[in-house]
Amino acid sequence: HRRGERPTVATFTKSGCMHCLEPACESVCIVGAIQRQDNGAVTIDHDKCIGCRYCQLACPFGVPKYEYDRVIPRMRKCTLCYDRIVEGLEPACAATCPSGAILFGERDQLLRIARQRIADGGGRYIDHVYGEHEAGGTAVLYISPVPLDLTALNTDVTTESVPGFTWKAMRQLPVLVGSVAALSLGLMAYSRRRAQLEALAKGGGEQ
C-alpha cells in the first residue's frame, strides 16, 4: 500500500483473555470464582461461578462469555491453559503455533523480545506493545504490523488499572445472588418451553 493509505494486508489476531495484572473481572466477582494465579493466569472456578455476568460487564476487553445454551449457565474464557502451565507445559496456542508468532514466558522477557522485534523490524511493526500499559498492564502482549484499530484489539482501553473504575459502577448494582440465579434459570426454562411448544405447533403435533 502507498504511504497514508490503509493497509490491505491480511492480519490474524488471537482473541482471548488478556490476563490483566489487576483484573477487573476478579475485583467484581461476588462469589470469588475468578482469581489471578501466581503465574499470571486469570482463572474461573466453575464450581463457584453463578453466571451473574458481572465479569462480562467489567472486562474492558469484552472477553468473558455467558453460556446461554446451558440449563445452569456459567462464564467461560481463556485461562491461559492454567492446567498445562502447572504441569510445566506451555499453553496450547504457543505450543502449536508453527510460525513462532505466539510465545510464552515471563512478562519482562516477552516485553524485551517485543521491543527488540520492533527495533529490528525496519518499520515492519508499529511502535507499540499492546498490553504493556493497557488496563494497567496485561500478561498477554501484542505487536502488530498494521494500526491496532484495524485489528480485533480494543484501542479505547484506559492505561489505568480498571478495578477502581468498575467498583464505582458495580456498587450501584444489587447483589442478589439467589435472585439472579433463580431468575436466569426461570427465564431460560420459559424460553425453552415456549420454543418446544412453537415447534410442536408448526409440526402439527400435540402436547
Side-chain angles (χ1 to χ4, degrees), residues 76-159:
R76 297 284 177 179
K77 72 172 193 67
C78 158
T79 62
L80 205 63
C81 289
Y82 177 72
D83 55 335
R84 289 176 58 88
I85 295 176
V86 296
E87 294 294 331
L89 302 172
E90 292 184 330
C93 58
T96 58
C97 181
S99 65
I102 302 176
L103 303 178
F104 176 72
E106 296 293 331
R107 186 173 189 269
D108 289 344
Q109 177 190 22
L110 294 177
L111 275 172
R112 287 194 295 271
I113 293 173
R115 292 181 185 130
Q116 194 62 51
R117 286 191 177 185
I118 292 173
D120 296 342
R124 176 183 178 186
Y125 300 103
I126 63 170
D127 189 12
H128 183 85
V129 181
Y130 186 87
E132 181 176 9
H133 301 295
E134 280 76 9
T138 62
V140 175
L141 306 168
Y142 288 89
I143 57 174
S144 173
V146 301
L148 293 174
D149 62 348
L150 299 182
T151 70
L153 301 173
N154 183 0
T155 57
D156 294 326
V157 179
T158 177
T159 57

Side-chain angles (χ1 to χ4, degrees), residues 24-26 28-30 34 44 49 51-60 62-65 75-77 170:
C25 57
E26 179 187 38
V28 300
C29 183
I30 58 180
I34 300 179
I44 300 179
C49 178
C52 67
R53 288 184 279 180
Y54 278 14
C55 58
Q56 189 176 45
L57 295 172
C59 178
V63 168
K65 297 296 182 286
M75 303 306 298
R76 297 284 177 179
K77 72 172 193 67
M170 301 305 286

